[in-house]
């Protein structure tokens, strides 16, 4: 039995929601993955009379497609979609059977109107928490538009193909055989990348806002909700709604919720914001802020939004090392997300740069997958908590090098080594390895505010206890500010503070 009793019980409930018959067309061989896939497919068929199974030959073996009766839908799974992809499989079964996807009608219309033929292939790992969003988005597109098809490929089951295509990060998506995108993407982002995005004219008619929030992470979402609850005209512009939590796996300190996962929390945030009358402008990046009578925020697409107050909540992003080879080999061996990309380095030698909590957590995780992990720490000592260090040092396949200044990441078409300088002796060393995980902290997304809003030497926006900046009417919240600690709950608290501060300002001015 490939599914345990608990999962089977849940699955049985979902399968009852199927609307019409579907057929799984299965391409299997004699290998173990084929056997596991057949076991899964047979188990599904025994659980619902609406699921038929046919043997066939598909482009990849082992794989199976999920189809309406008499019509190929274009949704294919190559490998066994268990782990994080099990939900993708369940949703595909339901949606192909006729159950409508949970997507706005406007987006459904947008997908149905896409012209041209698009065949997507997404390479995933079953432990990647960013992958299901991409797989599910591409499956929804395939289900809704007959000219779109999508194959999810488990990299672990198709190692040669992954190697040959030089894929070293998941999810990696190919479109019609050409590289299309890498990393987590929402359905809206994929549609935008296909050229289906609102341009500046869609913003031209917007009335000035009372509160315009820039940033859609925990701080921005909270600020928008607090502002909207005051009944004032509220807008939110976000480059990527959800922010850093989209890249976070387990969250255990979001008080009152014992455990949740980042993408789930991001979806709840969005749902909560949508519950109010907030103008959400997702996938839009602000590039200029200017205080005139009103405050103007210019977007990358050229549109200029006006507002009486602005709350800056642009958060932070991974800090780059800034050494030769880092940008060149990004996604070709240089990675930032161990949970996502770790499985692609199975049996390989990797380095983790950074000996803080995130670096040591990454090294511990990677030691379970990779052949060997070398931790490079710039300082003479690791900064991670003692309990993490103890775990790290108990592992047999980890080396820690302190006082190490990374000089270069080397490679040809992908990473083949790292060069560092021993800061104690000045000697240069080279280690041959296949992957480098950079874990050296975060930088605030505030460069675009230089000379406009006062920032400290780390680039963090300086705020007072009401969240106000030095520019009247401009407030800030969350990781982009000089708050002492950067956490979800702290960002939310400061988002609330900034919104209340902005409301007070509106009353007084
Ligand atoms: C791997 C990882 C694990 C973590 N784990 C935890 C944890 O377990 N618990 C915890 O409490 N915290 C955790 N954190 C920290 C937590 O995620 C952050 O403190 C929190 O997300 C900060 O929220 P924010 O809204 O200030 O910024 P962000 O989450 O960074 O959001 C910023 C928003 O602004 C947008 N943006 C940026 N620039 C622009 C622009 N120019 N125009 C428009 N929009 C823009 C972004 O797209 C995004 O929507 C973790 C962080 C990471 C990276």
């Amino acid at each position: 039995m490939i599914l345990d009793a608990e999962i089977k019980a849940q699955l049985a409930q979902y399968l009852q929601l199927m609307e019409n018959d579907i057929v799984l067309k299965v391409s299997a061989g004699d290998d173990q993955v084929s056997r596991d896939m057949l076991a899964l497919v047979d188990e599904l068929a025994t659980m619902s009379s609406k699921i038929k199974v046919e043997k066939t030959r598909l482009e990849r073996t082992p794989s199976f497609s999920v189809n309406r009766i008499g019509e190929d839908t274009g949704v294919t799974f190559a490998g066994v979609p268990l782990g994080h992809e099990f939900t993708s499989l369940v949703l595909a079964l339901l949606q192909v059977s006729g159950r409508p996807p949970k997507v706005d009608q406007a987006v459904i219309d947008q997908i149905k109107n896409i012209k041209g033929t698009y065949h997507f292939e997404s390479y995933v790992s079953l432990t990647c928490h960013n992958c299901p969003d991409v797989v599910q988005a591409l499956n929804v597109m395939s289900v809704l538009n007959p000219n779109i098809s999508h194959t999810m490929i488990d990299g672990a089951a198709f190692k040669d193909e992954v190697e040959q295509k030089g894929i070293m990060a998941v999810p990696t998506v190919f479109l019609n055989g050409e590289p299309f995108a890498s990393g987590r993407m929402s359905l809206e982002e994929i549609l935008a990348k296909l050229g289906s995005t609102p341009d500046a004219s869609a913003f031209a008619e917007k009335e000035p806002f009372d509160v315009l929030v820039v940033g859609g992470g925990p701080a921005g979402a909270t600020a928008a909700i607090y502002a909207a609850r005051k009944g004032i005209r509220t807008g939110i512009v976000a480059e990527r709604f959800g922010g850093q939590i989209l890249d976070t796996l387990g969250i255990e300190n979001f008080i009152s919720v014992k455990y949740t996962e980042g993408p789930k929390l991001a979806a709840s945030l969005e749902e909560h914001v949508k519950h109010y009358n907030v103008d959400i402008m997702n996938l839009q990046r602000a590039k200029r802020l200017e205080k005139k009578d009103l405050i103007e925020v210019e977007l990358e697409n050229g549109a200029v939004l006006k507002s009486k107050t602005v709350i800056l909540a642009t958060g932070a992003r991974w800090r780059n090392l800034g050494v030769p080879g880092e940008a060149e080999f990004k996604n070709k061996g240089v990675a930032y997300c161990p949970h996502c990309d770790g499985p692609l380095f199975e049996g390989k030698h990797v380095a983790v740069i950074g000996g803080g909590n995130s670096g040591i957590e990454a090294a511990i995780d990677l030691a379970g997958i990779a052949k060997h992990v070398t931790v490079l720490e710039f300082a003479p000592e690791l900064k991670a908590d003692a309990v993490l260090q103890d775990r790290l040092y108990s592992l047999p396949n980890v080396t820690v090098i302190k006082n190490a200044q990374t000089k270069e990441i080397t490679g040809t078409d992908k990473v083949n080594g790292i060069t560092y300088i021993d800061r104690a002796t000045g000697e240069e060393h080279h280690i041959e390895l296949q992957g480098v995980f950079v874990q050296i902290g975060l930088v605030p997304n505030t460069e675009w505010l230089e000379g406009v809003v006062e920032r400290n030497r780390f680039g963090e926006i300086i705020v007072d206890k009401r969240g106000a900046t030095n520019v009247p009417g401009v407030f800030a919240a969350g990781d982009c500010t000089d708050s002492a600690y950067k956490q979800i709950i702290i960002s939310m608290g400061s988002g609330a503070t900034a919104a209340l501060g902005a409301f007070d300002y509106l009353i007084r001015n």
Side-chain angles (χ1 to χ4, degrees):
M1 206 164 71
I2 196 152
L3 301 173
D4 67 32
E6 196 182 326
I7 290 191
K8 251 187 117 168
Q10 279 177 4
L11 182 61
Q13 289 183 350
Y14 284 119
L15 294 183
Q16 278 177 9
L17 301 173
M18 287 180 67
E19 302 211 336
N20 298 295
D21 287 1
I22 62 169
V23 56
L24 305 181
K25 296 189 180 174
V26 187
S27 182
D30 294 329
D31 53 292
Q32 185 56 46
V33 183
S34 287
R35 282 197 286 276
D36 289 346
M37 183 188 73
L38 282 173
L40 173 66
V41 164
D42 288 344
E43 203 152 338
L44 290 171
T46 58
M47 292 178 71
S48 168
S49 59
K50 290 202 161 69
I51 301 176
K52 321 281 174 219
V53 179
E54 262 177 31
K55 294 239 159 88
T56 189
R57 249 323 106 205
L58 297 172
E59 189 186 342
R60 289 179 186 81
T61 298
S63 72
F64 65 96
S65 58
V66 186
N67 306 286
R68 297 178 192 107
I69 302 291
E71 184 200 349
D72 282 356
T73 321
V75 175
T76 304
F77 293 92
V80 190
L82 290 177
H84 281 8
E85 291 306 338
F86 187 60
T87 313
S88 305
L89 170 63
V90 175
L91 288 173
L93 298 174
L94 295 180
Q95 289 163 6
V96 171
S97 84
R99 194 105 201 147
K102 282 196 178 150
V103 176
D104 289 351
Q105 189 56 43
V107 176
I108 292 179
D109 295 342
Q110 209 178 335
I111 295 169
K112 286 187 171 165
N113 286 334
I114 293 174
K115 306 273 180 294
T117 307
Y118 297 89
H119 176 54
F120 290 98
E121 293 166 302
S122 62
Y123 292 84
V124 305
S125 71
L126 301 183
T127 54
C128 155
H129 61 283
N130 287 328
C131 296
D133 279 357
V134 174
V135 170
Q136 289 161 26
L138 293 170
N139 282 347
V140 165
M141 290 169 66
S142 307
V143 170
L144 291 173
N145 185 323
N147 299 321
I148 300 176
S149 55
H150 168 231
T151 303
M152 178 221 84
I153 301 148
D154 173 17
F158 290 88
K159 282 198 179 117
D160 290 349
E161 189 173 332
V162 163
E163 196 82 15
Q164 182 231 326
K165 287 198 162 152
I167 294 166
M168 302 191 86
V170 286
T172 288
V173 180
F174 280 66
L175 169 58
N176 298 336
E178 298 295 325
F180 174 70
S182 194
R184 186 189 176 280
M185 289 182 94
S186 64
L187 179 53
E188 286 81 2
E189 283 171 288
I190 295 169
L191 292 173
K193 203 164 159 74
L194 286 178
S196 160
T197 176
D199 62 16
S201 59
F203 299 84
E205 307 299 319
K206 285 194 193 289
E207 292 290 314
F209 294 96
D210 292 316
V211 174
L212 177 65
V213 181
V214 184
T222 307
I225 290 169
Y226 265 73
R229 284 172 61 80
K230 294 283 182 193
I232 53 183
R233 191 171 143 66
T234 306
I236 183 165
V237 181
E239 190 179 1
R240 194 173 165 232
F241 199 97
Q244 286 169 64
I245 53 174
L246 292 173
D247 301 322
T248 306
L249 190 57
I251 299 169
E252 297 178 348
N253 57 2
F254 184 53
I255 307 309
S256 86
V257 180
K258 268 188 279 178
Y259 178 85
T260 186
E261 296 191 347
K264 196 170 159 205
L265 179 58
S268 310
L269 281 183
E270 190 164 356
E271 201 186 320
H272 199 171
V273 175
K274 281 185 173 161
H275 180 69
Y276 293 96
N277 189 14
V278 176
D279 187 344
I280 303 177
M281 293 159 274
N282 195 9
L283 306 181
Q284 301 297 331
R285 190 179 157 86
K287 67 168 182 186
R288 184 181 62 85
L289 181 140
E290 197 176 337
K291 166 102 176 144
K292 296 187 176 165
D293 270 354
L294 292 168
I295 303 158
E296 291 189 358
V297 172
E298 187 180 352
L299 307 183
E300 290 283 1
N301 70 9
V304 177
L305 301 170
K306 293 181 182 162
S307 186
K308 290 179 189 157
T309 64
V310 167
I311 297 174
L312 300 165
T314 49
R317 62 179 186 278
W318 298 111
R319 183 187 294 280
N320 291 336
L321 269 172
V323 299
E326 182 183 25
E328 192 183 342
F329 298 118
K330 192 169 175 194
N331 296 334
K332 294 281 170 204
V334 174
Y336 298 82
C337 179
H339 295 302
C340 320
D341 300 334
L344 295 171
F345 294 85
E346 190 185 339
K348 297 189 172 161
H349 184 176
V350 300
V352 172
I353 318 265
N357 280 347
S358 58
I360 300 311
E361 275 175 20
I364 293 168
D365 273 7
L366 288 165
I369 302 165
K371 187 170 170 207
H372 194 89
V373 180
T374 304
V375 175
L376 295 177
E377 164 58 49
F378 184 84
E381 293 305 329
L382 297 183
K383 285 171 280 194
D385 296 344
V387 36
L388 289 174
Q389 293 196 36
D390 290 347
R391 278 229 20 232
L392 182 79
Y393 284 120
S394 74
L395 300 170
N397 58 340
V398 175
T399 312
V400 176
I401 305 176
K402 298 172 196 163
N403 254 332
Q405 181 186 350
T406 307
K407 188 177 170 207
E408 186 180 358
I409 297 168
T410 59
T412 47
D413 54 335
K414 53 190 175 188
V415 168
N416 64 14
I418 192 161
T419 306
Y420 72 93
I421 296 167
D422 181 330
R423 295 172 60 230
T425 63
E427 275 172 29
E428 192 169 302
H429 299 272
H430 183 76
I431 310 174
E432 282 183 17
L433 42 71
Q434 290 81 45
V436 177
F437 286 82
V438 182
Q439 299 284 305
I440 54 167
L442 299 159
V443 267
N445 295 315
T446 59
E447 294 83 351
W448 64 289
L449 298 164
E450 193 181 345
V452 182
V453 177
E454 198 184 341
R455 299 177 306 154
N456 66 13
R457 67 193 172 93
F458 305 111
E460 297 165 338
I461 301 167
I462 299 171
V463 287
D464 69 12
K465 62 185 178 188
R466 287 189 170 73
T469 70
N470 66 315
V471 181
V474 178
F475 295 75
D479 279 15
C480 66
T481 70
D482 62 346
S483 75
Y485 304 105
K486 317 292 195 232
Q487 288 285 283
I488 297 164
I489 206 151
I490 294 173
S491 302
M492 287 183 168
S494 68
T497 303
L500 297 174
F503 185 66
D504 264 357
Y505 174 90
L506 286 169
I507 293 174
R508 286 166 213 274
N509 290 276

